Structures are given as C-alpha cells and as structure tokens.
Amino acid sequence: MRYIILLFCLSSNMLLYGQEISGTVFEKENNIPVEYVNIGVVGKNIGTVSDQSGKFTLQISSEYYNDTLRFSCIGYQSYSIKVSDIMNQNDVKVNLEKWLYELSEVVVRPKNIKQKTLGITTRNKMVVACADSIYGGEVGVVMKNKKNAFLKEVNINIASCSYDTVFYRVNIYKAHENMQFENILTNPVYFNLLKEDVKDKITVDLRHLNLVIEGDFLVTLEVVKNLGPGKLCFPASLTHKSYRRATSQGSWFTIVAGISLSVLVDIEK
C-alpha cells in the first residue's frame, strides 16, 4: 500500500476577505527588479514570492492590519513595514539594500576528514510525500551534525514528477533552539530541470559556495515560481520528520514523514 502525504496545503495561502496588495521589489542601488523575494506576514501563514520581474500580489485580511509585513531575500537586507501602513498604497514600490557580508578570518589547520552522508536516503516508495506549488512554501530535513562540515552536494530522491518543469530554491539554515533557523547562504541556489531530466535523484552541487557549518542545520526546498499543474513526490520515512512552513515568513512546524533529502559532506573525524 502507498501512503500519500501532502506537505503543502493549498488552502493555507487563500483568504476569502481582505485587501489586495500589489507592487514591485527593486534593488535600491540601481533600481533593478529583484526576483523571488520572500514576502509575508511575520509568524503567519500568509505570504508569497515576487516573480522574475520583481512583481507581487498578496491578499491580506483586516485582522492582520497590526502585524508586520516582511520582505526578505538572500543577499539583501530585510525590509519590514506595518501592514496598515501599506494597505492604502497603490502599486507599492519596495527598495531592498544589498547586504554587505563581512568575511571572518580563516585559519587553516591540517585536519583528518571523512566523507559522510547526513539526512534521509530512503528510496522505498511505499511511503510517498508530495509537494504542491504554493509560493514561499518550504519543506526540508534537519541534518544532525556536531563537528565542522564542508557541504559538497544536496541529494533529493524522487518518487515521481508530473510537472513539465521543476524549479526550486534550495535553502540552508543554521538550526537554533525552539525551531528558529538562520539562512547561511550569501547567494541563492536554484535547480531547474525539464520533466524528462528528473530521474530517481536530483543532485545540487554546493562545492563552489565553500560552505562550512558546525552544528545541526536545516536544508529545504522552496517553491518560488508557478510550476503549473502537477506534483513532485519523494520517498519518505515514517521514522523521521520533515520541517515545513506553508508560506514566506510563516512559522515552522514538523510533519511525521521525513522526505528523502540528504547532504554529502566532508566532516572532521
């Protein structure tokens, strides 16, 4: 018997009443549109993602007028505004400033390292978890890690794919207490494949990013583009769990079904 578990819920992003907010997100320095910006009410399951032209549309109910709307994107400083302060604006223009990253001192010491796979690697399709295409929705797995690990590649096992094209963003978060996660990427990571190229496994190379992380970290797949009708499904394990948030800026929670997502690392012995 095959169990189908829906991880992204279509109803989480829909409001029957409220006002529509629409506009464009720009890079402040040169006034060019910023694509795939996470936009949402902080801590609520209400959000979206800007398109390739920086444009966005979001329905917000009046019950959230006193909440905070946040715009965030890898490589830029986040911008927050009270919902009530933006509701009456027509064709909202949001400017994001580039984030200047300070490079920490690197001390090179000889180390004994070994290659290791972290995460979930099941290929058993008796349990399958599927993802719908909700903008800003994320699902992923926490990688248990104690020592410094150099991230080499993300591997995603696939059960089935009915999209014509698969386009996702890969996010990597440092795990803190109480399900608080901090994105460690300084540049966005995407994968874009035609249906015929989606085989049993998708591999995303991370070596060029030179990512080293100590402690547990969360790796997720995020919907940032309209994929059309279809689903992407993964083998899953009922002895593990996935971490999910329904929309941009929403709260994280867990699901008792870990999708088959793993990371190949070089780690200290």
Side-chain angles (χ1 to χ4, degrees):
M1 181 181 294
R2 176 177 293 182
Y3 299 90
I4 304 296
I5 303 169
L6 296 181
L7 297 180
F8 293 170
C9 193
L10 284 172
S11 61
S12 66
N13 206 26
M14 295 181 179
L15 297 170
L16 295 178
Y17 303 99
Q19 183 173 333
E20 181 177 280
I21 299 175
S22 61
T24 309
V25 184
F26 294 93
E27 183 178 306
K28 184 176 182 179
E29 286 77 6
N30 52 30
N31 206 39
I32 62 172
V34 183
E35 62 182 4
Y36 308 135
V37 176
N38 293 113
I39 305 159
V41 179
V42 177
K44 312 293 183 183
N45 289 328
I46 301 166
T48 188
V49 176
S50 67
D51 64 17
Q52 291 171 287
S53 300
K55 297 185 181 299
F56 69 92
T57 300
L58 181 63
Q59 292 278 346
I60 299 184
S61 170
S62 58
E63 66 181 288
Y64 302 108
Y65 282 8
N66 292 319
D67 287 298
T68 299
L69 186 68
R70 179 178 295 159
F71 297 76
S72 64
C73 186
I74 295 169
Y76 295 87
Q77 297 182 41
S78 296
Y79 173 76
S80 298
I81 188 171
K82 193 175 180 179
V83 171
S84 59
D85 292 338
I86 201 172
M87 291 300 291
N88 296 322
Q89 298 182 31
N90 295 320
D91 194 19
V92 176
K93 180 178 180 180
V94 176
N95 292 310
L96 295 184
E97 295 187 35
K98 293 284 287 185
W99 187 271
L100 299 178
Y101 294 93
E102 293 185 6
L103 298 179
S104 57
E105 180 182 1
V106 177
V107 179
V108 179
R109 298 186 180 95
K111 293 280 187 180
N112 292 323
I113 63 171
K114 60 180 178 179
Q115 184 169 279
K116 187 176 181 180
T117 296
L118 307 176
I120 303 171
T121 59
T122 181
R123 293 180 178 272
N124 190 334
K125 298 179 183 179
M126 288 295 292
V127 178
V128 175
C130 300
D132 289 318
S133 53
I134 297 298
Y135 285 170
E138 291 183 72
V139 64
V141 173
V142 167
M143 308 296 165
K144 298 297 184 179
N145 174 47
K146 293 183 178 179
K147 299 183 178 181
N148 284 319
F150 173 75
L151 279 56
K152 301 173 72 173
E153 61 187 37
V154 174
N155 290 301
I156 310 145
N157 287 324
I158 304 299
S160 63
C161 176
S162 55
Y163 291 123
D164 290 332
T165 302
V166 172
F167 185 93
Y168 281 83
R169 177 159 59 199
V170 177
N171 291 311
I172 302 173
Y173 300 90
K174 172 73 175 177
H176 299 291
E177 294 181 353
N178 301 318
M179 285 204 295
Q180 298 299 308
F181 300 104
E182 175 189 1
N183 202 318
I184 66 169
L185 295 176
T186 57
N187 292 289
V189 177
Y190 303 103
F191 63 87
N192 186 12
L193 296 170
L194 296 175
K195 181 178 180 178
E196 54 264 31
D197 296 324
V198 179
K199 307 299 183 183
D200 291 335
K201 183 172 76 171
I202 295 173
T203 296
V204 182
D205 194 350
L206 302 176
R207 292 172 178 83
H208 63 289
L209 298 176
N210 294 316
L211 294 173
V212 177
I213 189 167
E214 183 179 10
D216 294 349
F217 58 98
L218 171 67
V219 179
T220 71
L221 307 179
E222 181 185 2
V223 179
V224 295
K225 188 177 181 180
N226 184 1
L227 302 178
K231 281 186 175 65
L232 183 66
C233 298
F234 319 91
S237 169
L238 292 179
T239 60
H240 296 81
K241 58 186 176 183
S242 295
Y243 286 72
R244 178 203 166 194
R245 64 175 173 182
T247 61
S248 303
Q249 319 301 345
S251 299
W252 293 95
F253 58 95
T254 60
I255 295 176
V256 185
I259 66 170
S260 189
L261 189 155
S262 62
V263 180
L264 184 67
V265 301
D266 281 339
I267 197 166
E268 297 175 7
K269 290 185 178 179

